[in-house]
Amino acid sequence: MAFSPLVDELVESLRCLPGVGQKTAQRMAFHLLERARSGGTRLSDALSNAMEGVRRCESCQNFSDTEVCGICENPARSNGTLCVVESPSDLLAIEQAGDYKGSYFVLMGHLSPIDGVGPEEIGIERLLRRVRSDAVTELILATNPTVEGEATAHYISDRLDGSEILITRLAHGIPVGGELGYVDGFTLTHAFRGRKPLLD
Amino acid sequence: MAFSPLVDELVESLRCLPGVGQKTAQRMAFHLLERARSGGTRLSDALSNAMEGVRRCESCQNFSDTEVCGICENPARSNGTLCVVESPSDLLAIEQAGDYKGSYFVLMGHLSPIDGVGPEEIGIERLLRRVRSDAVTELILATNPTVEGEATAHYISDRLDGSEILITRLAHGIPVGGELGYVDGFTLTHAFRGRKPLLD
């Protein structure tokens, strides 16, 4: 762009956002400059505060403003049940469902040797230490039902082989409100195998 | 989100970007925190600099870091030809095409009485003053071929009625590389009416 180095730099910087290319970055920059300068200033402050202030919780590895996050510090959350998720957005989805009252451990990824992500990078040792120190009785492996997520779940379960802990995995089946005709074959097979008596 | 007020505020602030809802804002925030902290800091600085430093060029109304923008100040650009566009991104598209060497006037919108946008809001008086003071010989009305864009072009041309200035509008026709079968009827009609001898 010839007319303004400040606008150029803004467009270029916006491209670090995921899914934002040149055209979208331009549209965002012009929108902020034309119609949302106060929003732009607020975003600038929020970004600088978050980039400086947000760290990992010492206990569960989730993003946190403090050394230990709000969920880990909450005495009402049972430490006996620990749910392992891949990312903060997975944790958020479970929290928004509102039913689970145990604590979490956020891997911030999954095992993926091809990308150089091994057990060390996703904090498996820290997870195992926590499982022992918190006297966890049930470990829910809520990694995603993808190849990498399944491999990560199996790796963790192998590492805990021989312990007394109950290790569980989330149920597969038909989504609530889903229509049978649109459900894929693997999910249907899981749903059939996991069928339950009506009066359970 | 329960776990971090700083992350909450970042997600909320990202929603001021056009086309960004709750889920996308979350994805962006987590991406920046996990993988692109330096990009986030750079974006924060670029935003704050741009929101404070970018103003309108006194001469053409385009975004500029200085009182008069680079294009208006450039002595190599002919002041005799003035191209009126709706937005900085239109100007950018014309600049990237690289053929036009005159100067610009950016309306930053179009006439739209229903939204309270009249001639005053898009700087028509400033445009007319510039047309007179710069001794413009040709005024290219490159507003968009939409109802509002056409109305704006007609309004400007009416205001200059009786002057000696040549007022032109960009040609309609088949896009270069376009296929006839996919071109709409209005465009085809324009292309037929504007047909030219092969050896022109």
Side-chain angles (χ1 to χ4, degrees), chain A residues 1-7 9-10 12-14 16-20 22-24 26-34 36-56 62-65 69-71 87-89 91-93 95-96 108-109, chain B residues 1-7 9-10 12-14 16-20 22-24 26-34 36-56 62-65 69-71 87-89 91-93 95-96 108-109:
Chain A
M1 217 180 302
F3 53 85
S4 164
L6 289 178
V7 179
E9 169 62 16
L10 177 57
E12 203 47 51
S13 309
L14 281 165
C16 76
L17 296 172
V20 174
Q22 181 71 23
K23 279 275 172 195
T24 313
Q26 256 177 37
R27 194 163 61 92
M28 287 175 165
F30 291 148
H31 173 87
L32 291 174
L33 288 165
E34 273 172 53
R37 294 229 177 188
S38 63
T41 309
R42 180 182 168 194
L43 176 56
S44 165
D45 294 343
L47 271 168
S48 113
N49 292 339
M51 294 303 128
E52 275 169 33
V54 175
R55 51 169 116 178
R56 298 287 188 79
N62 194 12
F63 293 130
S64 169
D65 302 357
C69 75
I71 295 179
S87 73
S89 49
L91 183 153
L92 207 61
E95 280 298 286
Q96 279 165 353
M108 293 282 183
Chain B
M1 217 180 305
F3 52 85
S4 164
L6 289 178
V7 179
E9 170 62 15
L10 177 57
E12 204 46 52
S13 308
L14 281 164
C16 77
L17 296 172
V20 174
Q22 181 71 24
K23 279 275 172 194
T24 312
Q26 255 176 40
R27 195 162 61 91
M28 286 175 165
F30 291 148
H31 173 87
L32 290 176
L33 288 165
E34 274 172 52
R37 294 230 177 189
S38 63
T41 308
R42 180 182 169 195
L43 177 56
S44 165
D45 294 342
L47 271 167
S48 110
N49 292 338
M51 294 303 129
E52 274 169 34
V54 176
R55 52 168 117 179
R56 300 287 189 80
N62 193 13
F63 293 131
S64 170
D65 302 358
C69 74
I71 295 178
S87 73
S89 48
L91 182 154
L92 208 60
E95 281 297 288
Q96 279 165 352
M108 292 283 182

Side-chain angles (χ1 to χ4, degrees), chain A residues 3 10 33 64 74 91 106 108 120 152 160 176 183 196:
Chain A
F3 53 85
L10 177 57
L33 288 165
S64 169
N74 187 346
L91 183 153
V106 184
M108 293 282 183
E120 200 51 50
T152 308
L160 287 165
V176 177
V183 173
K196 293 179 175 183

